[in-house]
Structure formats: C-alpha cells, structure tokens
Amino acid sequence: MAKTKVFISFDYDHDETLKDFLVGQAKNPDSPFELADWSIKEAIDVRWKDKARQRINAVDVVAVICGEHTDTATGVSAEISIAQDEDVPYFLLKGYSEKSCVKPKAAKSTDKIYKWTWENLKLLIGGGR
C-alpha cells in the first residue's frame, strides 16, 4: 500500500527540532506516511512561492507544526495559504505539550490544533479531522 505523502510546514527559526521528531516518526515501521520536501529556508519571493507551490501540489497533506511563535513565521503562513489555494488538505499539530502553541496567521479560525501523539498523527494523516 502506498504511503501518504506529507509536506511539513514549521517555523525554521524556533521549531526545527520538532521537524526532526516528525522525520523520525516517519521512519517507524508502522508509519502510514512518508515525508516529501518540507519548508524552504529562503527569502520569500516569487521563486520561493513557486517552489513551495510545486512541492505542496506533489503531496497528499500538509502537516503544520505549531510552536510558541508560529504566528510570526511568514513562511508557514505562506505555505498554508498555498495549500488553501490549491485545495491540499492540512492540519495543525501542537508541537509542545507543555507550552502554549499558536496558529499561523493564515490558519482559519475553525482550524483546530491537534495534540501530537503517534495515534493522533496517524489518524490526521489518514484524513481523520
């Protein structure tokens, strides 16, 4: 069975370790997903947005890792906007269980931040939201 392709969107300046955790989980033997190219650390310009759009269009879902400063991460908001424009599903994942995590500015008011557990992650990637 083909694995679900996931694009990871995260705040490079504050949450790169969280991305590494998700990369590790993708390697679990029972992982239902594989990671495609994730966020691009370059200045946000037309070429950056074109690259991001191309990568987001090549996946099944976008996983947005939310941390304490995600509302100020312009790249994360740009990636969510692209996913919304392209009708690529996405979900928000609470990066820290013991900290206050915030939505990116481009997230909809109805978007929920889900608790990051292995079982939740598998459900969310499978479309359970």
Side-chain angles (χ1 to χ4, degrees):
M1 188 164 127
K3 292 188 175 194
T4 302
K5 291 183 186 139
V6 178
F7 179 95
I8 306 171
S9 182
F10 64 97
D11 179 354
Y12 257 104
D13 295 328
H14 299 101
D15 300 323
E16 193 166 5
T17 300
L18 296 175
K19 182 264 305 185
D20 293 339
F21 292 153
L22 192 56
V23 169
Q25 285 186 299
K27 295 175 182 176
N28 284 344
D30 63 334
S31 175
F33 66 97
E34 64 185 2
L35 300 174
D37 291 326
W38 39 76
S39 292
I40 305 156
K41 185 164 176 74
E42 295 173 10
I44 297 177
D45 62 10
V46 174
R47 285 193 326 249
W48 179 92
K49 286 188 178 181
D50 289 344
K51 285 182 192 176
R53 187 173 304 277
Q54 182 179 19
R55 292 176 183 188
I56 289 168
N57 273 319
V59 301
D60 302 304
V61 66
V62 175
V64 182
I65 303 174
C66 297
E68 294 178 288
H69 307 281
T70 311
D71 57 337
T72 63
T74 55
V76 175
S77 280
E79 290 163 350
I80 287 177
S81 293
I82 291 167
Q84 291 166 343
D85 291 346
E86 299 295 329
D87 291 323
V88 175
Y90 67 92
F91 61 88
L92 309 179
L93 200 57
K94 184 174 182 179
Y96 302 97
S97 62
E98 302 300 321
K99 295 181 182 178
S100 179
C101 298
V102 294
K103 293 181 184 182
K105 287 185 179 162
K108 296 176 183 175
S109 62
T110 55
D111 288 341
K112 178 182 175 187
I113 300 180
Y114 294 93
K115 185 176 179 182
W116 187 346
T117 66
W118 182 231
E119 289 308 313
N120 264 359
L121 185 59
K122 291 191 288 187
L123 289 170
L124 292 164
I125 287 172
R129 24 185 196 284

